[in-house]
Amino acid sequence: MSELSLAYIFHQHQLLVDENFQLPRVESLASDLYFHAGDQVIARDLREDEAIPQGLQLVPIRQLLTLWDTQQFEYASRAIQLLEWRRNHKFCSHCGHQTEAHPTEHAMICPACRYHQYPRVQPCVIIVITRGDDEILLAKNAKNTTDMYGLIAGFVEVGETLEEAVRRETFEEIGLKLKNVQYLASQPWPFPSNLMLAFRAEYASGVIKLQEEEISDAQFFKFDQLPEIPFKGSIAYAMIKHVIEGHPVADDTREWL
Ligand SMILES: [Zn+2]
């Protein structure tokens, strides 16, 4: 019998864990994704006919974000993204031939034309905007049905710097101009394959004008009169706390504060 592997087994956006929210050890399968060198760590999707073993449970990944430390969450996040990428690159995007997994690195190779496909991340900026010493801009996403207010965010476009993306997204979504744009920190975010790049900026000029398909409300809130904000463990929460309380966004181990 082979040595048991620590396993990330996913079913949609849920992960199989034990009653203490820790990963199970299972026998590995030939089709598993080996994604952590030097240690027996595998990742795969729950097979269709596979029952959930006794003592294990499926827990939404977003819930694990609040229970796990940053590094545990980042490993899980990497596993989800690599599986998703492998699922979406079964064929060569150059010639259409079926691809094969590279034996030692994360690449899908085409046996016909040798084209290598590597996982990609989508850079996405997220911005905390302040006005004066005691106001923060918070916005409600149009798709959000709760009362939660978050931060302005959006994908970086081809040929654009991160700072340009910060200014463009803010202007498009709420019509404001910014000054003193500063980088803060980053967080891989697996829904789907985003790299969240956190910036802070100050209000420069303009009046709030909503892009209504994206944002249903946006306002400057006094620091001591905040609405409901994103959950602890998210980069948005750490960014909001950073501007209000002045401590860093993350510590040296990248634990969100
Ligand atoms: Zn090919």
Side-chain angles (χ1 to χ4, degrees):
M1 200 176 109
S2 65
E3 201 189 324
L4 295 180
S5 301
L6 205 57
Y8 290 93
I9 300 176
F10 295 97
H11 179 61
Q12 286 149 11
H13 279 160
Q14 302 173 97
L15 181 63
L16 206 58
V17 289
D18 67 18
E19 64 268 28
N20 298 316
F21 302 102
Q22 299 305 305
L23 297 175
R25 287 194 177 268
V26 301
E27 278 189 64
S28 60
L29 308 172
S31 58
D32 287 345
L33 177 88
Y34 282 84
F35 88 106
H36 197 265
D39 198 3
Q40 287 270 95
V41 185
I42 59 107
R44 63 176 166 83
D45 292 308
L46 193 71
R47 284 164 289 155
E48 278 192 10
D49 57 349
E50 189 173 358
I52 294 171
Q54 189 86 38
L56 300 185
Q57 55 178 335
L58 284 169
V59 172
I61 310 292
R62 284 167 195 267
Q63 191 184 330
L64 293 173
L65 183 61
T66 61
L67 298 167
W68 281 4
D69 66 29
T70 306
Q71 192 173 59
Q72 272 182 305
F73 181 74
E74 284 183 5
Y75 282 145
S77 148
R78 190 181 307 172
I80 299 177
Q81 291 174 59
L82 287 170
L83 284 174
E84 170 90 4
W85 162 75
R86 196 170 67 164
R87 223 180 280 126
N88 293 338
H89 292 82
K90 290 178 182 158
F91 297 93
C92 176
S93 60
H94 183 67
C95 78
H97 197 281
Q98 202 160 357
T99 56
E100 294 166 0
H102 190 284
T104 56
E105 54 185 80
H106 294 304
M108 297 299 272
I109 315 160
C110 174
C113 77
R114 307 308 300 165
Y115 185 68
H116 284 45
Q117 299 179 101
Y118 293 95
R120 295 214 176 128
V121 294
Q122 303 275 359
C124 184
V125 291
I126 177 165
I127 311 130
V128 62
I129 303 162
T130 53
R131 186 169 69 180
D133 295 332
D134 63 350
E135 286 186 312
I136 179 170
L137 185 286
L138 296 170
K140 206 164 147 183
N141 192 300
K143 290 186 217 111
N144 183 5
T145 54
T146 71
D147 289 329
M148 192 191 76
Y149 278 74
L151 300 176
I152 300 295
F155 289 107
V156 179
E157 293 184 351
V158 170
E160 184 176 61
T161 67
L162 298 175
E163 292 80 359
E164 283 165 349
V166 165
R167 292 171 194 280
R168 177 187 50 74
E169 279 293 339
T170 304
F171 190 72
E172 282 174 6
E173 294 196 354
I174 53 170
L176 299 185
K177 302 256 185 175
L178 300 176
K179 62 182 181 184
N180 297 332
V181 175
Q182 286 180 326
Y183 173 76
L184 293 175
S186 62
Q187 182 187 43
W189 187 247
F191 310 108
S193 236
N194 299 346
L195 178 62
M196 304 304 292
L197 297 145
F199 284 82
R200 70 176 295 173
E202 290 170 37
Y203 166 83
S205 63
V207 288
I208 293 174
K209 185 172 177 299
L210 304 179
Q211 185 182 34
E212 282 167 7
E213 317 85 77
E214 300 273 334
I215 303 287
S216 60
D217 188 30
Q219 300 175 35
F220 281 101
F221 290 90
K222 293 278 182 199
F223 287 176
D224 58 2
Q225 291 166 28
L226 296 188
E228 188 188 327
I229 61 169
F231 59 91
K232 191 171 190 312
S234 64
I235 197 168
Y237 176 89
M239 291 166 71
I240 293 167
K241 288 289 175 185
H242 164 72
V243 297
I244 292 176
E245 293 168 9
H247 59 53
V249 176
D251 67 17
D252 290 343
T253 63
R254 290 181 305 133
E255 202 63 52
W256 303 104
L257 299 172

